[in-house]
């Protein structure tokens, strides 16, 4: 069943809860009375010189401003106020009488050292953010985690087992096991004790939730909000003080983020932490609480190195993005960088708008998060400059701003911004904005991939079409233009001849006795012969001549600018080259000849078939006259003829 007030009263009556004793109890009794003279309280306190000295020390520390130092107990009580004195007496008394205990796994020395640092930090922070009276914040910080001390006192063996099982884990994880084991947790039990000791209600609620402030239902910017995050930051500084160097460096980004929530930048935080460390060491000597040397905050606050991509990965389903941060405020830069790296994103950082513009061109981030107000180039000007470039138009742009005026926001959107986030930063809101940006970036990249795929497909299709067209116009065996291609080129040459008033010659070539080669040596040998003849024709023809295969053993050569006589001479040169060629087939040698018919196209328009028929007729005459010959007929002048 849940922890109840009846159960708390039972524990209190049983005397098992940590409580003050001796002089402290008498003082608390006096402080509960109305109209008790301050002199009586001072007289009772002086019975404990150590407690008196601690109260005077606190009174001089807790109040800021140029005041005369407190030197007497009476003055310390007057300056602090009776409520604060009650809390201070309570806290110091608990510390004095609970330095050790029976819980073997509970580090009593570390507990009080951290509590003292938390108290000093709470006091120091309240002097800056004014969330509550600084003197009250000290005692609240000192008692912030008293619930853990209570569990160690009430259940030493059981609590030791839980501490061993959850060593190194957060207080929230430990609290879940505490509730299963003890029907309460250290935060809930501590809140009951705070209320019983009459701490202000405002503090009781803040202390109960300070380990997990994001889960508390408080209005952002309210006094409750500032007090809650102030106490959470104070507890973080307490942990920072008692941790080792490696742990301390890991805590810094969280402290910076928490400080940003209450309006403190990294420089102010660093100065404050160093001051807390110095005060903590002084108080440690006074209260006999163990402290340690701590290096300057600046040394731990250096920007983190790029994470190992195998260790830092985006959340399941999320996309790791390349992000550029542009902000002149070191607090915002460190906070954003830590948050984004934790989510697995790749981060580049710029300290002003001009550096951001240079980095954006170099890194080409998918997303830019830029402060509105910056030196060199402000966020709006940076956005405009990026939108003028092709790469910059694709970048998702988020403005960081403290402005909420509609006209100013409209200016940002008109400059090209996609979204904005208000300051102080809220991690949950920023994460939600990043998810929205991720959806847009993912869609943009998918669209770009689709466009690139379409472009690639179109290129491949065009290439395929060219190959198909080439295949449709090329003879598969010889690689020469085929009949279709030859007819197209023949028509082109006819048009040129008509337009330029110049003739051209056409050769029709046939391999003599080709059937005998096939019959004697097989069709493979015949194919080899045709391939070699095609190569020889291409080699011996002029550069401008077009050599092609009509089919079978017939070839055609178009000779631009040649008349019949020149065509016959060119044909005879080809005939002689072929006659000298010998094809070696195994142990046998094959020698062939060709017969050529030449036709001349005059300048008068004709059809392609007429030219081919005339060349074919000339070829037939060459074969009839004995083969291995050249015969020519003019199409424009049928009477004109030549032969060799």
């Amino acid at each position: 069943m849940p922890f109840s007030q009846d159960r708390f009263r039972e524990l209190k009556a049983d005397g098992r809860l940590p409580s003050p004793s001796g002089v402290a109890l008498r003082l608390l009794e006096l402080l509960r009375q109305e109209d008790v003279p301050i002199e009586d309280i001072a007289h009772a306190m002086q019975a404990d010189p150590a407690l008196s000295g601690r109260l005077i020390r606190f009174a001089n520390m807790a109040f800021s401003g140029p005041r005369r130092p407190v030197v007497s107990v009476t003055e310390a009580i007057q300056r602090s106020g009776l409520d604060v004195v009650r809390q201070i007496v309570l806290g110091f008394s608990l510390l004095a009488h609970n330095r050790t205990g029976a819980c073997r796994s509970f580090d009593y020395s570390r507990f009080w050292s951290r509590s003292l640092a938390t108290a000093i930090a709470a006091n120091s922070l309240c002097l800056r953010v004014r969330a509550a009276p600084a003197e009250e914040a000290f005692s609240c910080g000192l008692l912030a985690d008293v619930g853990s001390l209570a569990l160690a006192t009430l259940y030493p063996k059981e609590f030791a087992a839980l501490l061993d099982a959850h060593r190194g884990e957060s207080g929230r994880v430990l609290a879940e096991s505490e509730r299963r084991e003890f029907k309460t947790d250290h935060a809930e039990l501590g809140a009951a004790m705070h209320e019983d000791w009459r701490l202000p209600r405002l503090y009781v609620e803040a202390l109960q939730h300070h380990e997990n402030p994001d889960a508390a239902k408080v209005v952002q910017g309210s006094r409750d909000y500032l007090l809650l995050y102030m106490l959470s930051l104070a507890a973080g500084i307490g942990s920072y003080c008692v941790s080792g160097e490696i742990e301390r460096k890991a805590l810094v980004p969280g402290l910076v983020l928490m400080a940003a929530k209450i309006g403190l930048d990294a420089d102010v935080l660093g100065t404050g932490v160093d001051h807390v460390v110095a005060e903590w060491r002084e108080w440690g000597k006074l209260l006999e609480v163990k402290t340690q040397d701590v290096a300057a905050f600046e040394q731990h606050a250096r920007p983190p190195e790029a994470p190992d991509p195998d260790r830092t990965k985006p959340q399941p389903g999320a996309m790791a993005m390349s992000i550029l941060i542009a902000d002149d405020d070191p607090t915002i830069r460190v906070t954003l960088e830590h948050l984004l790296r934790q989510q697995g994103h790749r981060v580049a950082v710029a300290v002003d708008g001009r550096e951001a513009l240079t980095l954006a061109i170099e890194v080409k981030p998918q997303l830019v998060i830029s402060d509105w107000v910056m030196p060199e180039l402000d966020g709006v000007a940076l956005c405009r400059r990026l939108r003028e470039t092709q790469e910059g138009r694709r970048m998702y742009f988020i403005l960081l701003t403290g402005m909420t005026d509609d006209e100013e926001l409209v200016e940002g959107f008109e400059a090209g911004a996609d979204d904005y986030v208000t300051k102080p930063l809220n991690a949950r809101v920023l994460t939600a904005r990043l998810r929205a940006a991720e959806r847009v970036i993912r869609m943009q990249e998918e669209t770009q991939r689709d466009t690139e795929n379409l472009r690639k497909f179109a290129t491949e299709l065009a290439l395929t079409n060219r190959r198909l067209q080439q295949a449709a116009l090329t003879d598969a065996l010889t690689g020469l233009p085929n009949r279709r291609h030859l007819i197209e080129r023949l028509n082109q040459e006819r048009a040129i001849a008509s337009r330029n008033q110049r003739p051209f010659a056409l050769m029709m070539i046939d391999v003599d006795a080709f059937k005998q080669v096939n019959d004697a040596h097989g069709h493979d040998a015949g194919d080899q012969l045709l391939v070699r003849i095609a190569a020889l024709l291409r080699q011996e023809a002029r550069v401008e001549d077009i050599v092609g295969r009509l089919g079978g053993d017939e070839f055609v050569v178009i000779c631009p600018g040649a008349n019949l006589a020149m065509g016959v001479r060119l044909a005879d040169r080809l005939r002689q080259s072929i006659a000298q060629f010998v094809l070696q087939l195994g142990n046998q040698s094959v020698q062939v000849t060709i017969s050529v018919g030449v036709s001349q196209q005059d300048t008068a328009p004709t059809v392609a078939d007429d030219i081919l028929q005339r060349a074919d007729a000339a070829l037939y005459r060459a074969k009839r006259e004995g083969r291995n010959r050249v015969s020519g007929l003019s199409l424009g002048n049928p009477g004109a003829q030549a032969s060799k």
Side-chain angles (χ1 to χ4, degrees), residues 150-261:
L151 289 177
T153 305
L154 292 169
Y155 311 106
K157 291 183 180 180
E158 297 87 345
F159 192 51
L162 284 185
L163 291 175
D164 289 339
H166 296 284
R167 193 166 301 281
E169 296 180 333
S170 68
R172 282 174 281 177
V173 176
L174 178 62
E176 294 175 4
S177 295
E178 291 171 352
R179 285 190 289 274
R180 289 193 295 269
E181 179 72 23
F182 308 124
K183 308 304 180 187
T184 187
D185 59 53
H186 63 275
E188 189 177 51
L189 180 56
M193 296 171 72
H194 296 151
E195 196 164 5
D196 182 64
W197 291 333
R198 299 183 185 178
L199 265 66
R201 184 66 188 170
L202 182 69
Y203 288 106
V204 173
E205 294 180 356
L207 288 170
Q208 185 172 356
H209 298 99
H210 80 278
E211 287 183 346
N212 187 18
D214 290 339
K217 296 179 180 179
V218 292
V219 178
Q220 185 173 350
S222 65
R223 185 187 182 196
D224 290 349
Y225 176 93
L226 290 174
L227 182 59
L228 173 63
Y229 281 96
M230 182 276 295
L231 287 171
S232 183
L233 176 58
I237 294 173
S239 296
Y240 171 90
C241 289
V242 299
S243 295
E245 284 297 313
I246 297 176
E247 295 172 300
R248 194 175 291 129
K249 193 172 185 66
L251 288 172
V252 167
L255 296 180
V256 174
L257 177 59
M258 200 67 67
K261 289 179 179 293

Side-chain angles (χ1 to χ4, degrees), residues 252-284:
V252 167
L255 296 180
V256 174
L257 177 59
M258 200 67 67
K261 289 179 179 293
I262 58 175
L264 300 180
D265 64 27
D267 292 337
V268 172
L269 173 66
T271 302
V273 169
D274 291 342
H275 172 74
V276 168
V277 170
E279 288 286 330
W280 174 60
R281 289 179 58 77
E282 288 299 317
W283 273 98

Side-chain angles (χ1 to χ4, degrees), residues 49-50 58 74 76 82 101 117 140-141 160 178 202 211 276 304 354 373 382 387 405 428 455 462 468 471 536 597 630:
F58 168 78
T74 301
L82 296 183
C140 288
E178 291 171 352
L202 182 69
E211 287 183 346
V276 168
R354 194 163 299 283
V373 180
L382 172 63
R387 295 311 190 209
D405 181 75
R428 294 176 63 191
R455 187 181 296 113
L468 289 173
L536 283 170
V630 176

Side-chain angles (χ1 to χ4, degrees), residues 58-78:
F58 168 78
N60 283 315
M61 182 272 289
F63 297 90
S64 61
R67 298 190 179 190
R68 181 178 59 83
V70 173
V71 294
S72 68
V73 173
T74 301
E75 190 176 359
I77 295 171
Q78 290 174 334

Side-chain angles (χ1 to χ4, degrees), residues 23 88 90 156 266 318 400 569 572 591 618:
V23 172
I88 291 298
L90 176 64
L400 292 177
R569 288 197 301 272
D572 195 56
Q591 189 171 14

Side-chain angles (χ1 to χ4, degrees), residues 353 370-384 399:
S370 172
D371 189 21
W372 188 305
V373 180
M374 290 187 298
E376 300 294 336
L377 278 177
D378 64 22
V380 172
L382 172 63
C383 186
R384 285 199 184 99
L399 277 170

